[in-house]
């Protein structure tokens, strides 16, 4: 589609996804994303309650690590599923697997069983998340593709705001089990309804063998970098990240040299636009996940309560959601410019955090806290401004035979960006004063260097986004 064609597209709204003809698919696809998002935040909230009830503190970090790794494998399954299994069949599998994992967690007598359930649950969640993108071209006309991505962003934004609060309802005693039990009937219902409510999707994938080596290397990278995000020892953390980077590098080399690929053609060659789109996606999530340290810096440096720090941190998710709705109707050159603007805003927001969050402001002066809060909002706003258009570019660039690979890669990059970002943020913060000397001085140093360093990948996203403007990609 040319820029002139895109400019001529009629204005559309995300609410068109809820018209009678499109509502069934929207409920199913949005429902899959909702299960993934809400359960992620609820589980993070009730995890301490699980430990208090059945023990297993040394294994606590694996509750998230196994879920993330399995989710990556689930997203890959969408692209490498057995020939003859359609997208609707994959959706049924994903919903049933997610429900089964939830049931295992709910009935778990010990932490080891919870971990098994989380792995099963993560695999199902990864399938559902990847299918949300894979189904877009079958469920909606092309002008509505960005609107679908906008809806998914809104779901994650709402989950960020409501998930922890919902998790708090299940934090007492053994009530954490109900946080998993309530998912089971929803998963079963979605599995039953999906063959009737989802559109028929042609399996137009190119024939080829499953790229086992690339999948293994990717899983090693995800597992090691996820573990790195949970360990405190700096040398161990750095070594785990190094192994993860090496594993990813080997995977990319294998992709480039081999004919049996996990990713779409050109995804590992920066000369190709699809590779630059994926790079921007990865880098934006890499930067964004550094918000995990914002509550600590707010409480330590600005004297706000844990509750207020939680609400202020939620501004990041709110910014993403607002921007997604704001830019959802943009097309053609304006959509490409929105990607560039989003990358610029993201980079500037991290610079502002390095300036205003890294201050000794025990009296919570609004002259300092106010700009920091705006920077948090704009940090999410920058990602949300261009994310839907990045997704749409991927779906438009790749061939129909590689659409499932492209869709799975989006979910995989989200997980990779988040995992690598969290791990690297930990290395930066811990090595620049968070632990030694600690206290006010150490926190100021850590906050400054963390967000100053996170501005650097922001510059990379700007450079890559400029090459994606109409007529230059």
């Amino acid at each position: 589609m040319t820029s002139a064609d895109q400019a001529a597209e009629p204005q559309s709204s995300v609410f068109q996804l809820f018209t009678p003809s499109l509502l069934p698919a929207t409920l199913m696809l949005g429902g899959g994303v909702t299960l993934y998002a809400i359960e992620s935040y609820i589980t993070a909230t009730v995890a301490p309650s699980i430990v208090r009830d059945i023990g297993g503190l040394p294994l606590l970090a694996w509750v998230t690590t196994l879920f993330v790794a399995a989710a990556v494998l689930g997203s890959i399954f969408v692209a490498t599923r057995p020939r003859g299994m359609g997208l609707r069949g994959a959706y049924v599998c994903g919903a049933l697997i997610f429900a089964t994992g939830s049931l295992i967690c709910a009935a778990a007598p010990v932490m080891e069983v919870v971990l098994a359930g989380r792995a099963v649950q993560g695999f199902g969640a990864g399938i559902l998340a990847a299918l949300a993108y894979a189904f877009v071209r079958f469920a909606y006309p092309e002008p509505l593709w960005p609107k679908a991505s906008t809806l998914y962003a809104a779901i994650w934004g709402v989950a960020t705001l409501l998930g922890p609060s919902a998790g708090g309802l299940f934090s007492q005693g053994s009530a954490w089990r109900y946080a998993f039990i309530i998912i089971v009937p929803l998963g079963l219902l979605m599995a039953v309804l999906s063959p009737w409510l989802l559109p028929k999707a042609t399996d137009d994938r190119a024939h080829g063998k499953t790229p086992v080596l690339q999948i293994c290397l990717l899983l090693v990278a995800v597992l090691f970098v996820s573990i790195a995000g949970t360990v405190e020892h700096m040398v161990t953390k750095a070594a785990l990240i190094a192994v993860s980077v090496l594993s990813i590098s080997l995977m990319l080399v294998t992709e480039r040299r081999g004919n049996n690929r996990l990713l779409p053609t050109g995804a590992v060659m920066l000369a190709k636009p699809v590779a630059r789109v994926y790079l921007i996606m990865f880098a934006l999530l890499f930067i964004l996940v550094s918000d995990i340290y914002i509550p600590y810096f707010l409480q330590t440096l600005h004297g706000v309560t844990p509750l207020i720090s939680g609400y202020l941190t939620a501004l990041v998710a709110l910014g993403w959601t607002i921007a997604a709705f704001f830019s959802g109707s943009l097309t053609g050159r304006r959509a490409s410019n929105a990607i560039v603007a989003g990358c610029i805003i993201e980079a500037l927001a991290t610079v502002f955090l390095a300036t205003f969050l890294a201050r000794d402001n025990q009296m919570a002066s609004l002259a300092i806290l106010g700009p920091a809060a705006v920077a948090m909002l704009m940090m999410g706003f920058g990602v949300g401004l261009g994310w839907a258009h990045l997704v749409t570019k991927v779906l438009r660039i790749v061939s129909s035979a590689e659409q499932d690979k492209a869709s799975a890669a989006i979910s995989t990059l989200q997980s990779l960006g988040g995992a690598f970002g969290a791990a690297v943020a930990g290395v930066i913060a811990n090595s620049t004063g968070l632990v030694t000397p600690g206290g006010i001085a150490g926190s100021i140093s850590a906050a400054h260097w963390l967000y100053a360093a996170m501005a650097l990948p922001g510059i990379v996203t700007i450079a890559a986004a400029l090459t994606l403007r109409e007529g230059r990609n």
Side-chain angles (χ1 to χ4, degrees), residues 10 94 212 257 298 348 451:
V212 176
R257 294 182 177 178
L298 286 173
L348 289 177
Y451 292 105

Side-chain angles (χ1 to χ4, degrees), residues 12 16-17 56 108 126 153 181 282 334 356 364 368 381 395 404 440:
S12 54
Q16 287 182 253
L17 301 176
I181 291 175
F282 175 86
R334 290 185 300 167
F356 291 98
I368 299 174
F381 191 92
L395 298 179
D404 289 351
I440 300 297

Side-chain angles (χ1 to χ4, degrees), residues 129-447:
L131 285 173
Y133 294 110
F135 257 116
V136 163
R137 62 192 177 111
F138 297 106
Y140 309 114
E142 190 168 340
L144 290 181
W145 291 358
K147 309 303 179 294
S149 297
T150 297
L151 175 64
Y152 305 153
I155 289 171
W156 275 99
V158 172
T160 303
L161 295 171
L162 299 183
S165 299
L169 300 175
F170 305 102
S171 60
Q172 299 299 317
S174 296
W176 61 268
R177 298 183 186 275
Y178 293 103
F180 296 104
I181 291 175
I182 59 175
I183 298 297
V184 176
L186 293 176
L188 295 176
L189 180 64
M190 292 168 68
V192 170
L193 294 179
S194 57
W196 285 272
L197 298 184
L198 287 172
K200 183 176 177 59
T202 305
D203 189 354
D204 51 6
R205 292 173 295 163
H207 290 274
K209 297 179 181 179
T210 301
V212 176
L213 178 58
Q214 292 98 305
I215 293 174
C216 291
L217 288 170
L218 184 59
L219 287 179
V220 168
V222 173
L223 277 172
F224 275 66
V225 77
S226 297
I227 296 170
T230 64
V231 300
E232 297 298 331
H233 191 263
M234 282 296 298
V235 175
T236 303
K237 184 187 287 282
L240 290 170
I241 294 175
V243 172
S244 300
V245 172
L246 177 61
S247 185
I248 287 290
S249 300
L250 290 174
M251 191 272 285
L252 295 178
V253 170
T254 305
E255 278 283 298
R256 185 161 187 169
R257 294 182 177 178
N259 295 321
N260 191 31
R261 297 186 180 93
L262 176 64
L263 303 173
T265 302
V268 296
M269 301 171 63
L270 285 178
K272 301 294 184 180
V274 66
R276 300 196 296 275
V277 173
Y278 282 148
L279 174 62
I280 294 171
M281 286 180 157
F282 175 86
L284 287 176
L285 268 296
F286 182 95
I287 298 168
L288 190 71
V289 79
S290 62
D291 70 347
I292 59 176
Y293 285 95
I294 289 178
Y296 178 82
F297 292 137
L298 286 173
Q299 294 172 43
T300 304
L301 299 176
H302 297 268
V304 302
T305 65
L307 178 63
I308 297 300
S309 70
Y311 281 119
L312 287 174
T313 306
L315 289 173
V316 178
L318 181 62
W320 182 325
T321 304
I322 292 173
F325 279 99
F326 173 77
S327 70
S329 60
L330 302 179
T331 59
R333 185 177 296 275
R334 290 185 300 167
S336 296
N337 289 339
I339 296 174
V340 176
C343 293
I344 293 173
I345 291 171
E346 180 77 357
L348 289 177
T350 58
V351 171
F352 269 75
L353 285 175
T355 303
F356 291 98
L357 190 62
R359 301 281 290 274
D360 185 0
N361 181 34
Q362 296 301 312
M363 300 303 293
S365 169
L366 287 179
I368 299 174
L369 187 57
V374 172
M376 295 171 211
L377 181 71
M378 300 312 291
M379 191 179 189
F381 191 92
V383 179
L385 195 62
W387 188 264
H389 304 300
L390 290 167
V391 171
T392 302
K393 276 189 178 291
V394 169
L395 298 179
R396 284 174 172 162
I397 290 171
V398 302
S399 66
S400 59
E402 295 189 309
Q403 288 283 344
D404 289 351
K405 288 183 180 180
S407 301
I410 293 172
S411 297
T412 300
L413 282 170
Q414 287 181 281
S415 298
L416 277 176
F420 270 96
V424 172
V427 170
I428 296 172
N430 290 339
S431 62
T432 55
L434 189 67
V435 176
T436 305
I440 300 297
S443 294
I444 291 175
S445 175

